[in-house]
Amino acid sequence: MKKKTKIIIITISCVVIALILSAISFVTSIFVSYNRLGDMDLQVRQNAALQSLEKEKTYSCISYNLGFGAYSQDFTFFLDTGFDEYCNETVGYYSKAKSKDEVYFNINGALKTIEDENVDFAFFQEVDTDSTRSYHINQDEMIMDCFSLYDSVHAINYHSSFMPYPLYDMHGKSNAGLTTISKYQINYAHRKQYSVSTSFSKFFDLDRCFSYSTIQVNNDKTLYLVNSHMSAYDEGGIIRGKQIQELNDFLNERKNCGDYVIVGGDFNHDLLTYNPDYNYDTTNNIIFNNTLKTPTWVSQFFDENHVSPIISGYKVIASDNAPTCRNNDKEWEINKTYVTCVDGFIVSDNIEVTKHYNIITKNGNKNLDGFAFSDHEPTYMEFKLK
């Protein structure tokens, strides 16, 4: 009996040691494989027939975070926290899409929404090309197939060899990025690196960047289309503050050259509170019927003096007709899920914005209005080059 007990203890000890060594080896491999891509030129996939843009002509664009095709209306995400009506903390569950069919349903629904708008330009974020979380469906290829008469550019901003977390629904391998499309010929495209956290959270915030694509205007100037996706899980907005400064550095360069600039994307900031175009502040901030406590990840873009951190010569364009982002600590329920507006545009002063609004998507898997295919909604803008 003693011999058997000894054998059992030794066996269990060996298994535990093997598991610990495997875990250490795996974590070490994650750290070793971690790398940042840096600044680089990007490939332009050329299909557009139209060439230069014209002054005083109306053009249209959309920005849409696709949420890698996972965010059905009943999807919650394990990193998203919030509060219920009693101020108890809530947290999401899933790490990857529930099924391959749901990914196809969401991406196809999102692309059909944009296709129906027939815009000149579109900025897409969270576009997976080869990720465990979206069943290795190449969503960038789906965009190119849907918009076959557009030029397109893809910039990687999230890549990891394998993320073994959470244990019950491992995030796995990830390759994702930003895709920009244009009816007009893109002459050049480039990727600019953003700062990210230096703590362990960097493994959930891999390689943030913005891309820019240039299009010729018939007055010998250039339109810069900037696709940006800032950090999300950054309590206090410290990393986002650095990213805004890096974007400002680029915007300042373009202003000094007299170029036209449109930044479209997911800024992961509340764009409405203290926005001088509206009347929302922290005392009357019941935007979109929100009655829940604000999640800790939400930072305000404007300060109490109604000033944005963007340099002079540019204007923030955000719409308040509908929210563009829902919190994923719980399933989507109208007036019961926290919502905000984090998606919009930044435009240079030599661009006149003639119309802008957020699109309410429909016919999702729960057949509710809003957030039908992603945890974000598309935001639309019409403009003229002055």
Side-chain angles (χ1 to χ4, degrees):
M1 181 64 71
K2 288 184 178 180
K3 186 176 181 180
K4 283 186 177 181
T5 302
K6 186 176 181 180
I7 291 172
I8 291 171
I9 291 172
I10 292 172
T11 302
I12 293 174
S13 298
C14 289
V15 170
V16 170
I17 291 170
L19 289 173
I20 292 172
L21 290 175
S22 296
I24 292 172
S25 175
F26 197 86
V27 170
T28 301
S29 71
I30 291 175
F31 275 90
V32 170
S33 65
Y34 176 79
N35 69 293
R36 301 214 60 194
L37 296 177
D39 298 350
M40 65 177 68
D41 291 345
L42 299 171
Q43 177 189 4
V44 179
R45 287 84 61 100
Q46 297 177 325
N47 294 296
L50 300 173
Q51 296 183 356
S52 64
L53 302 166
E54 302 174 21
K55 289 177 62 177
E56 301 302 332
K57 180 178 178 180
T58 298
Y59 298 100
S60 59
C61 63
I62 276 180
S63 181
Y64 196 3
N65 183 327
L66 300 181
F68 59 91
Y71 290 84
S72 303
Q73 292 178 321
D74 58 0
F75 184 87
T76 64
F77 190 58
F78 78 104
L79 285 177
D80 270 26
T81 59
F83 301 93
D84 63 18
E85 61 269 33
Y86 306 107
C87 291
N88 298 313
E89 187 167 312
T90 53
V91 62
Y93 180 80
Y94 298 99
S95 171
K96 56 180 180 284
K98 292 183 178 181
S99 71
K100 180 179 284 190
D101 286 344
E102 290 211 11
V103 175
Y104 278 121
F105 174 84
N106 290 326
I107 297 298
N108 284 326
L111 296 185
K112 180 63 167 58
T113 299
I114 306 307
E115 187 179 27
D116 288 346
E117 297 294 331
N118 192 31
V119 292
D120 297 296
F121 315 102
F123 308 89
F124 296 102
Q125 300 86 42
E126 289 196 27
V127 180
D128 275 10
T129 55
D130 183 15
S131 301
T132 305
R133 64 187 187 179
S134 53
Y135 300 87
H136 305 283
I137 295 170
N138 192 324
Q139 299 164 10
D140 181 55
E141 283 189 356
M142 293 177 70
I143 292 172
M144 288 193 294
D145 289 343
C146 183
F147 298 97
S148 59
L149 299 181
Y150 288 67
D151 275 12
S152 62
V153 171
H154 183 77
I156 296 172
N157 77 338
Y158 187 91
H159 64 105
S160 67
S161 57
F162 194 88
M163 183 58 62
Y165 191 80
L167 294 178
Y168 61 84
D169 192 36
M170 292 185 186
H171 207 60
K173 171 186 174 181
S174 294
N175 278 296
L178 315 168
T179 297
T180 304
I181 63 171
S182 168
K183 278 185 180 179
Y184 292 80
Q185 292 177 4
I186 295 174
N187 299 316
Y188 173 72
H190 192 79
R191 178 192 195 276
K192 293 284 287 182
Q193 177 177 281
Y194 272 140
S195 293
V196 297
S197 172
T198 56
S199 68
F200 186 78
S201 65
K202 69 185 179 182
F203 295 105
F204 298 101
D205 199 27
L206 292 173
D207 234 12
R208 295 284 183 179
C209 72
F210 66 88
S211 71
Y212 65 81
S213 305
T214 67
I215 301 173
Q216 189 63 42
V217 184
N218 66 359
N219 62 354
D220 293 327
K221 291 188 178 183
T222 301
L223 170 64
Y224 281 75
L225 298 176
V226 182
N227 195 340
S228 176
H229 188 188
M230 292 181 175
S231 296
Y233 304 103
D234 167 33
E235 188 170 348
I238 296 171
I239 300 302
R240 279 170 285 186
K242 292 181 179 179
Q243 293 170 353
I244 288 171
Q245 184 54 56
E246 289 158 353
L247 179 61
N248 270 337
D249 291 342
F250 172 81
L251 296 179
N252 192 50
E253 290 177 7
R254 303 282 44 95
K255 183 175 74 168
N256 291 338
C257 293
D259 294 315
Y260 302 99
V261 181
I262 296 175
V263 184
D266 175 359
F267 296 95
N268 270 316
H269 283 78
D270 168 8
L271 298 178
L272 295 181
T273 301
Y274 296 120
N275 186 320
D277 290 340
Y278 304 102
N279 189 36
Y280 303 115
D281 59 33
T282 54
T283 61
N284 70 351
N285 194 16
I286 310 299
I287 314 172
F288 313 126
N289 294 319
N290 271 330
T291 56
L292 299 175
K293 182 180 177 181
T294 302
T296 56
W297 65 266
V298 177
S299 295
Q300 294 159 4
F301 201 70
F302 293 85
D303 65 21
E304 295 180 2
N305 296 315
H306 309 284
V307 177
S308 87
I310 299 302
I311 62 169
S312 63
Y314 291 87
K315 179 176 175 58
V316 176
I317 305 297
S319 306
D320 72 341
N321 66 296
T324 67
C325 179
R326 72 172 178 91
N327 203 25
N328 297 293
D329 59 321
K330 61 180 68 174
E331 295 181 10
W332 167 236
E333 293 184 85
I334 299 171
N335 295 333
K336 292 185 179 181
T337 303
Y338 182 88
V339 291
T340 186
C341 177
V342 302
D343 305 86
F345 303 96
I346 298 169
V347 300
S348 50
D349 284 349
N350 52 6
I351 293 176
E352 176 188 359
V353 176
T354 57
K355 182 187 296 185
H356 63 91
Y357 56 85
N358 301 325
I359 297 170
I360 301 173
T361 53
K362 300 183 179 182
N363 301 318
N365 70 329
K366 289 179 70 174
N367 204 29
L368 295 173
D369 288 350
F371 304 102
F373 313 113
S374 173
D375 60 327
H376 288 255
E377 292 282 60
T379 183
Y380 175 94
M381 182 178 75
E382 292 181 5
F383 62 93
K384 294 179 181 180
L385 306 177
K386 297 192 288 187

